[in-house]
């Protein structure tokens, strides 16, 4: 049984062709996967370019099963829509396609017990998301589409909060914070007013707003009360999502991993990392937090092996193939 593993994020796509013995015979990298902005078919075209190169490298034109973990597949209805679009490309000769949100790739990559994978993952990158799984097929998840689904934080959310507090500190509506000086200085500007103007008029690209998050963490490390409170709130959100997912899967009283992924959590900012572990120890004492270092495309491949019923030696071989 051959598996096509796809991990497609907002900024890049990784694909791998995995054979029946767990060998990786081809890999390729492509562009970001953004169906909300370009439409479903153009987004799948981006996948197709990378898949085509991987298939050419492997000398094949199809596989037995496609395991695709895709950004922006936030709701089951979106997963179903994307699965139809992927199935229509004919990458699986049998039409066997499984599409999941890309957070599942991080979760599965970090679950080291391949025989009975169980646990929860929180991914905090530009946004925040959390999923969990147990061997009987049950999963826990959140819509994770922003404030309308109750989400707070991630790199983008922290950047917005930092700008909000800094703007109010400068004009007198809010409490003092060193963010008022640190944020404009980062962009080489003299004041928050100048930074607001540059962002509003597009002189600073919107994508650069994410640079505010590292400034926030640096300011918090310097002792600023407002910045430190935002970091603590981020930790609260991470633990709130993970404990809810554990409870939904009846794992709150079991010794299971809580995996921490995404750029914000993987950076291991001391205050955030220690606060997450402190709160988790109080609310889910048996949970074992661990920062995920494995590549998400490995997780997509492991999910594919779960689907085809691979043996333990196959899982081990695939993990070796992606070992650093």
């Amino acid at each position: 049984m051959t598996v096509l593993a796809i991990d497609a994020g907002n900024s890049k796509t990784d694909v791998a062709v995995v054979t029946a013995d767990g060998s990786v015979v081809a890999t390729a990298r492509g562009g970001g996967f953004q169906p909300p902005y370009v439409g479903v078919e153009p987004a799948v075209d981006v996948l197709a370019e990378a898949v085509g190169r991987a298939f050419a490298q492997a000398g094949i034109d199809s596989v037995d099963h496609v395991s695709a973990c895709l950004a922006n597949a936030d709701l089951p209805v979106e997963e179903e829509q994307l699965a139809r679009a992927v199935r229509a490309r004919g990458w699986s000769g049998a039409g066997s396609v499984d599409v999941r949100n890309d957070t599942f790739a991080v979760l599965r990559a970090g679950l080291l017990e391949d025989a009975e994978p169980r646990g929860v993952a929180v991914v905090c990158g530009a946004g925040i998301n959390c999923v969990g799984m147990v061997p009987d097929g049950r999963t826990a998840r959140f819509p994770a589409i922003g404030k309308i689904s109750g989400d707070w934080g991630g790199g983008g959310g922290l950047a917005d909060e930092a700008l909000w507090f800094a703007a109010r500190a400068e004009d007198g509506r809010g409490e003092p914070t060193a963010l008022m000086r640190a944020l404009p200085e980062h962009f080489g500007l003299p004041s928050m007013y100048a930074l607001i103007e540059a962002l509003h008029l597009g002189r600073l690209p919107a994508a650069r707003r994410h640079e505010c998050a590292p400034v926030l963490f640096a300011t918090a490390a310097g002792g600023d009360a407002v910045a430190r409170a935002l970091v603590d709130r981020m930790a609260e959100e991470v633990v709130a999502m993970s404990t809810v997912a554990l409870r939904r899967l009846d794992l709150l009283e079991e010794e299971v991993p809580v995996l921490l992924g995404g750029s914000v959590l993987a950076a291991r900012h001391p205050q955030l990392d220690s606060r997450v572990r402190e709160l988790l120890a109080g609310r889910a004492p048996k949970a074992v937090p661990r920062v995920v270092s494995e590549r998400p495309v490995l997780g997509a491949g492991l999910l594919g092996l779960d689907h085809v019923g691979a043996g333990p030696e196959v899982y081990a071989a695939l993990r070796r193939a992606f070992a650093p």
Side-chain angles (χ1 to χ4, degrees):
M1 296 287 286
T2 51
V3 171
L4 171 64
I6 303 175
D7 169 61
N10 281 291
S11 60
K12 64 178 174 60
T13 294
D14 282 322
V15 303
V17 177
V18 182
T19 59
D21 64 357
S23 299
V24 176
V25 295
T27 61
R29 173 163 288 184
F33 185 75
Q34 299 184 337
Y37 304 104
V38 303
V40 170
E41 290 304 323
V44 177
D45 286 341
V46 174
L47 304 184
E49 192 276 331
V51 170
R53 286 189 283 114
F55 277 4
Q57 183 182 345
I60 60 174
D61 56 17
S62 68
V63 293
D64 296 298
H65 177 68
V66 177
S67 174
C69 296
L70 309 178
N72 301 296
D74 297 306
L75 305 174
V77 65
E78 292 173 316
E79 290 177 339
E80 293 167 7
Q81 179 187 32
L82 290 166
R84 287 194 297 271
V86 170
R87 191 174 294 111
R89 300 298 174 118
W91 298 332
S92 165
S96 178
V97 171
D98 178 36
V99 168
R100 305 184 187 216
N101 179 269
D102 60 336
T103 308
F104 279 99
V106 176
L107 170 65
R108 188 63 185 86
L111 295 180
L112 305 180
E113 295 293 331
D114 293 316
E116 291 190 330
R118 68 181 70 214
V120 165
V122 182
V123 174
C124 192
I128 185 169
N129 201 353
C130 174
V131 298
M133 65 185 298
V134 288
D136 65 13
R138 289 180 296 136
T139 62
R141 63 188 299 175
F142 298 84
I145 51 178
K147 283 199 170 182
I148 64 169
S149 60
D151 308 318
W152 186 92
L158 288 173
D160 289 345
E161 294 289 336
L163 288 164
W164 189 87
F165 278 99
R168 291 173 69 87
E170 182 172 89
D171 68 22
R173 287 178 292 172
E175 59 188 299
T177 171
L179 291 167
M180 180 186 80
R181 295 180 298 277
L183 288 172
E185 284 176 1
H186 171 78
F187 294 99
L189 296 170
S191 66
M192 275 303 300
Y193 185 91
L195 177 55
I196 293 163
E197 181 180 88
L199 288 168
H200 177 67
L201 297 178
R203 291 199 291 268
L204 277 176
R208 293 199 65 190
R209 291 167 73 106
H210 293 294
E211 296 175 27
C212 296
V215 177
L216 167 65
F217 282 106
T219 306
D224 182 77
V226 169
R228 289 186 66 82
L230 288 172
V231 175
D232 281 344
R233 185 178 173 189
M234 186 70 264
E236 287 277 356
E237 288 294 314
V238 169
V239 174
M241 293 186 94
S242 57
T243 51
V244 167
L246 289 167
R247 186 179 302 113
R248 289 179 182 174
L249 295 172
D250 303 314
L251 295 175
L252 205 53
E253 303 301 324
E254 294 191 28
E255 187 174 311
V256 293
V258 171
L259 305 166
L260 308 173
S263 58
V264 172
L265 292 171
R268 301 193 188 204
H269 301 286
Q271 181 190 346
L272 179 61
D273 192 67
S274 62
R275 186 61 176 157
V276 165
R277 293 170 189 273
E278 177 187 351
L279 292 172
L280 197 59
R283 299 176 195 176
K286 293 187 177 181
V288 182
R290 184 174 76 87
V291 174
V292 178
S293 58
E294 292 82 4
R295 290 175 60 191
V297 69
L298 165 64
L302 293 169
L303 286 167
L305 296 185
D306 293 342
H307 181 86
V308 302
E313 70 285 349
V314 180
Y315 288 106
L318 182 57
R319 287 193 180 275
R320 286 195 299 272
F322 282 103

